[in-house]
């Protein structure tokens, strides 16, 4: 792709264009021992290598008073398609976290592991150890296709195995081809010979890659654990009566991010493109990516996601262009039903003498400490048994899969002692939070560190109304970018400022409908006070089988959101 000069391009486009396929001056920056940082342009480029430069915001003021540089460190995000790890790989990541990071592991909402607190001088050593486990961080961030999600347990059925295979095929096909990662981090040799064309070096992405990030998910109904509609591209398994996959329904144009006070930015759920066969699926994925590469907005990064491309160009035009590039004709979509987007906790038998245990990991943070709950060490102990695989769920939880019968009691005892079994609270079972403070540079408010406190208060309220065990989806983010997908939660809380949140209600329990703003700029007491009467009404006035999000619409508390452009309409927001 050649950069168009018809309108002023964003600064990031020039950085990518001049980077020599993601190299920039990263190598030179690593040699500079006078700072823990790197230059601003390279801060953008290292995202493509799977990392963000961050600093500990808890320490900013103190270090500023002492005229010290910020406490810079890097967050590394491992590329783990479908969240699947062997016990050996888990042990290696545990060791890396203890040796080079901050001693914890963070399971993400895209089925991977983040390692926080890696200082610049340890980057190469860390990435080499990750590489030794046949893992990497390539394209876990940046303007490329990121970690491909799917149901985390391919042992569950033939359809789930097919989903994992497709996810891996798409991930492999859409991985950037630039040799910069191996050259910079793994002491790889540069490719000798004459300069090669962009089409040879990056046949899918070209010199400037995509306008913005791109996310893919593969779903197997009736579970929507991958939050299909939040993704740029999604594939839904179509099954015959024998349970075999006959093809895939394809959706496109989902995305969560927006900006407070800018109604031209909004979350959006993906639209249906049609049906494709398995042998067409990777070609469809490439066609969607290249259409976005060529049609996406490279001038305004707030308008650069695929969701805006489809809104601007029209779904029919987009569908036709994807079909043309893929060389297919989309079939009519097959009917399917999602029933939830949460995880199925506890033990599930596979019928062959083995079983799978889904564990509860609060907000995805795995660490030791606190009331004897040394969860990181407990999971290390399970991994050392080497009796099952480790599979990260899209809800920040963990499945220990394929455990032989003889070892199930031992695994259960370790998990129970560490507090890793599912809680009684239905709200906690369905809760997610982004990292936010102190490391995320975009955070406006707390999220991971605050949500447990809020859940304590909301659980008290739910108990008073007899709702403790009811499954209600709650998600929190420290900013409106939506990493924990709060706009698809029945209760969504989005940071507006220190200790202040916007409250959203009305999303569908199955993840198919966006929420609507209910109240603005609430503090802790305001959130609890706003939700308590809603819980009370739900307990007394709900219909049989009615979900919380559906009730808030029927009760007139919020209007129904049809899709992205409608997200900011018909809002009856109120301040605390």
């Amino acid at each position: 792709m050649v950069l168009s000069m018809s309108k002023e391009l964003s600064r990031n486009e020039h950085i990518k264009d001049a980077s020599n396929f993601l190299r920039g001056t990263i190598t030179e920056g690593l040699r500079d021992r006078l700072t823990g940082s790197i230059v601003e342009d390279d801060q953008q480029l290292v995202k493509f290598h799977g990392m963000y430069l961050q600093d500990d915001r808890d320490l900013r003021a103190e270090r500023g008073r002492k005229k010290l540089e910020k406490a810079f460190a890097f967050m590394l995000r491992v590329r783990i398609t479908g969240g699947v790890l062997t016990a050996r790989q888990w042990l290696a990541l545990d060791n890396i976290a203890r040796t080079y990071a901050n001693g914890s592991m963070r399971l993400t909402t895209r089925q991977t592991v983040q390692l926080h607190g890696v200082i610049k001088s340890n980057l190469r050593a860390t990435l080499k150890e990750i590489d030794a486990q046949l893992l990497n961080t390539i394209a876990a961030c940046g303007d490329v296709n990121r970690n491909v999600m799917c149901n985390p347990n391919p042992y569950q059925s033939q359809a789930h195995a097919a989903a994992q295979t497709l996810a891996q095929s798409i991930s492999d096909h859409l991985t950037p081809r630039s040799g910069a990662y191996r050259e910079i981090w793994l002491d790889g040799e540069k490719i000798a010979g004459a300069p090669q064309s962009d089409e040879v070096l990056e046949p899918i992405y070209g010199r400037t890659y995509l306008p913005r990030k791109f996310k893919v998910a593969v779903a197997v109904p009736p579970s929507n654990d991958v939050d299909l509609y939040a993704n740029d591209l999604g594939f839904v398994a179509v099954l015959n009566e024998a349970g075999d996959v006959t093809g895939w329904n394809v959706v496109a144009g989902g995305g969560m991010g927006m900006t407070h006070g800018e109604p031209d930015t909004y979350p959006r759920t993906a639209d249906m493109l049609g049906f494709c066969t398995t042998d067409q699926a990777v070609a469809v994925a490439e066609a969607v990516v290249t259409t976005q590469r060529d049609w996406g907005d490279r001038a305004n990064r707030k308008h650069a996601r695929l969701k805006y491309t489809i809104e601007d160009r029209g779904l029919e035009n987009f569908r036709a262009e994807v079909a043309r590039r893929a060389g297919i004709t989309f079939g009519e979509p097959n009917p399917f039903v999602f029933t939830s987007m949460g995880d199925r906790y506890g033990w599930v038998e596979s019928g062959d003498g083995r079983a799978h245990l889904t564990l509860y990991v609060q907000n995805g943070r795995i660490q030791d400490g606190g009331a004897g709950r040394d969860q990181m060490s407990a999971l290390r102990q399970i991994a050392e048994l080497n009796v099952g695989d480790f599979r990260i769920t899209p809800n920040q939880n963990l499945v220990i899969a394929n455990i032989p019968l003889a070892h199930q009691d031992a695994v259960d005892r370790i998990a129970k002692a560490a507090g890793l079994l599912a809680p009684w609270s239905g709200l906690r079972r369905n809760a997610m939070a982004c990292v936010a403070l102190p490391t995320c540079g975009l955070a406006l408010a707390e999220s991971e560190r605050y949500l447990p406190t809020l859940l304590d208060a909301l659980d008290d309220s739910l108990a008073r109304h007899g709702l403790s065990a009811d499954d209600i989806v709650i998600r929190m983010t420290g900013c409106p970018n939506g990493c924990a997908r709060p706009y698809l939660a029945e209760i969504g809380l989005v940071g507006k400022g220190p200790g202040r949140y916007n409250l959203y209600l009305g999303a569908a329990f199955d993840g198919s409908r966006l929420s609507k703003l209910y109240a603005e700029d609430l503090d802790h007491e305001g959130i609890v006070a706003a939700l308590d009467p809603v819980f009370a009404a739900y307990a007394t006035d709900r219909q049989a089988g009615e979900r919380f999000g559906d009730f808030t619409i029927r009760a007139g508390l919020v209007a129904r959101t049809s899709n992205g452009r409608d997200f900011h309409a018909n809002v009856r927001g109120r301040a605390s």
Side-chain angles (χ1 to χ4, degrees):
M1 175 189 169
V2 178
L3 286 178
S4 169
M5 300 306 293
S6 59
K7 54 183 177 179
E8 182 61 33
L9 298 169
S10 72
R11 182 170 177 271
N12 287 64
E13 294 303 314
H14 294 291
I15 293 171
K16 289 182 286 185
D17 189 38
S19 73
N20 187 20
F21 294 94
L22 309 180
R23 291 170 176 84
T25 60
I26 297 172
T27 299
E28 293 82 350
L30 293 175
R31 296 193 194 109
D32 185 355
R33 298 186 179 183
L34 296 179
T35 176
S37 181
I38 54 177
V39 298
E40 190 173 347
D41 285 3
D42 289 341
Q43 291 176 29
Q44 299 301 317
L45 295 176
V46 294
K47 295 177 184 178
F48 292 80
H49 299 257
M51 66 191 76
Y52 283 79
L53 176 66
Q54 301 178 330
D55 75 283
D56 189 332
R57 293 171 62 179
D58 287 347
L59 301 178
R60 277 186 185 178
E62 179 185 355
R63 294 181 69 86
R65 287 193 297 270
K66 295 179 179 179
K67 302 192 183 311
L68 296 174
E69 182 180 68
K70 293 177 182 177
F72 289 114
F74 289 79
M75 179 276 285
L76 273 59
R77 184 180 294 153
V78 186
R79 188 181 182 92
I80 309 171
T81 303
V84 178
L85 292 167
T86 66
R88 178 179 176 180
Q89 289 172 325
W90 181 271
L91 286 171
L93 291 176
D94 173 282
N95 184 65
I96 291 168
R98 296 172 189 269
T99 304
Y100 298 115
N102 65 359
S104 73
M105 300 165 65
R106 182 53 152 72
L107 307 184
T108 79
T109 58
R110 294 202 66 79
Q111 293 184 279
T112 186
V113 172
Q114 287 182 179
L115 302 170
H116 292 262
V118 180
I119 61 174
K120 186 171 75 172
S121 59
N122 284 336
L123 283 174
R124 280 196 172 118
T126 304
L127 290 167
K128 285 178 180 178
E129 290 202 21
I130 291 172
D131 182 72
Q133 300 302 317
L134 303 181
L135 297 169
N136 60 63
T137 64
I138 297 170
C141 319
D143 298 343
V144 284
N145 175 58
R146 300 190 178 184
N147 204 51
V148 180
M149 296 203 298
C150 76
N151 181 281
N153 194 355
Y155 295 109
Q156 191 169 332
S157 70
Q158 291 179 337
H160 292 85
Q164 176 68 37
T165 298
L166 178 59
Q168 189 65 60
S169 297
I170 292 171
S171 178
D172 292 344
H173 190 69
L174 297 180
T175 299
R177 299 292 185 260
S178 170
Y181 183 89
R182 300 203 69 83
E183 291 172 19
I184 295 169
W185 308 111
L186 306 176
D187 300 326
E189 295 183 4
K190 294 182 179 180
I191 299 174
Q196 296 175 300
S197 68
D198 295 0
E199 290 74 18
V200 172
L201 288 171
E202 286 289 10
I204 294 175
Y205 292 113
R207 177 174 292 271
T208 52
Y209 297 84
L210 296 180
R212 280 298 306 272
K213 58 189 172 184
F214 193 91
K215 299 179 178 180
V216 181
V218 183
V220 181
S223 174
N224 186 23
D225 53 357
V226 296
D227 262 335
L228 179 87
Y229 297 104
N231 288 268
D232 294 272
L233 175 62
F235 293 85
V236 185
V238 176
L239 312 180
N240 60 21
E241 293 183 357
D244 297 320
V245 174
T246 60
W248 307 86
N249 291 329
V250 185
V251 301
M256 290 289 98
M258 69 169 197
T259 302
H260 287 312
E262 298 186 19
D264 287 340
T265 67
Y266 43 81
R268 188 181 191 276
T269 50
D271 292 316
M272 179 63 66
L273 293 183
F275 173 86
C276 76
T277 60
T278 296
D279 61 354
Q280 296 170 334
V282 173
V284 169
E286 179 179 330
V288 172
V289 167
T290 61
T291 302
Q292 166 64 357
R293 177 197 67 193
D294 298 340
W295 287 14
D297 188 345
R298 292 180 180 267
N300 178 6
R301 287 182 65 81
K302 291 183 179 181
H303 189 257
R305 288 290 296 276
L306 177 61
K307 61 184 177 181
Y308 300 117
T309 303
I310 291 177
E311 289 281 2
D312 293 345
R313 297 284 188 133
L315 180 61
E316 292 304 320
N317 288 335
F318 183 80
R319 179 187 289 117
E321 180 65 13
V322 169
R324 183 189 71 79
R325 294 187 184 213
I328 70 163
T329 299
F330 282 113
E332 288 296 316
N334 289 260
F336 63 94
V337 175
F338 287 135
T339 57
S340 73
M341 54 184 177
D343 290 331
R344 181 178 177 180
Y345 291 103
W347 288 96
V348 177
E349 299 289 336
S350 61
D352 60 356
R354 296 174 181 267
H356 323 295
L357 176 61
T358 301
L359 303 174
Y360 170 77
V361 181
Q362 183 168 268
N363 296 333
R365 179 67 66 183
I366 296 174
Q367 58 190 350
D368 284 344
R373 300 297 176 92
D374 289 342
Q375 295 185 339
M376 192 167 174
S377 292
L379 290 170
R380 182 179 185 88
Q381 187 179 354
I382 292 173
E384 287 171 342
L385 296 175
N386 195 27
V387 295
D389 296 332
F390 284 61
R391 302 177 183 272
I392 303 161
T393 81
N395 291 290
Q396 302 175 308
N397 294 313
L398 190 65
V399 179
I400 312 298
N402 222 26
I403 306 169
L405 179 62
H407 297 280
Q408 290 169 20
D409 284 346
V411 171
D412 194 81
R413 283 196 303 270
I414 296 170
K416 184 176 182 179
L420 287 165
L421 300 184
W424 171 250
S425 164
L427 197 65
R428 288 181 190 272
R429 290 195 301 266
N430 294 278
M432 284 204 304
C434 70
V435 175
L437 297 169
T439 54
C440 179
L442 300 176
L444 304 173
E446 294 280 2
S447 183
E448 176 188 329
R449 298 194 296 192
Y450 166 54
L451 182 57
T453 299
L454 177 63
L455 290 176
D456 288 341
L458 295 181
D459 272 340
D460 288 343
S461 176
L462 288 164
R464 287 194 300 272
H465 303 298
L467 298 172
S468 292
D470 284 57
D471 285 309
I472 299 173
V473 178
I474 182 171
R475 295 173 179 175
M476 175 180 285
T477 57
C479 81
N481 288 294
C483 292
R485 305 187 285 274
Y487 312 112
L488 286 173
E490 294 176 291
I491 301 173
L493 290 153
V494 178
K496 188 103 180 267
R500 316 291 294 194
Y501 300 84
N502 284 355
L503 172 61
Y504 296 83
L505 301 176
F509 184 76
D510 65 0
S512 62
R513 182 183 64 242
L514 293 167
S515 59
K516 186 76 72 179
L517 180 65
Y518 177 67
E520 292 186 84
D521 204 27
L522 301 178
D523 61 9
H524 175 84
E525 290 74 19
I527 296 169
V528 176
L531 285 173
D532 186 73
V534 181
F535 293 153
Y538 179 57
T540 58
D541 300 336
R542 61 178 165 173
Q543 298 174 350
E546 187 174 30
R547 293 293 184 180
F548 182 78
D550 298 331
F551 170 79
T552 59
I553 293 173
R554 185 178 63 82
L557 299 173
V558 290
R560 178 184 297 270
T561 297
S562 60
N563 208 340
R565 287 187 182 273
D566 181 47
F567 181 75
H568 297 295
N570 301 314
V571 169
R572 294 188 286 272
R574 54 188 176 88
S576 61

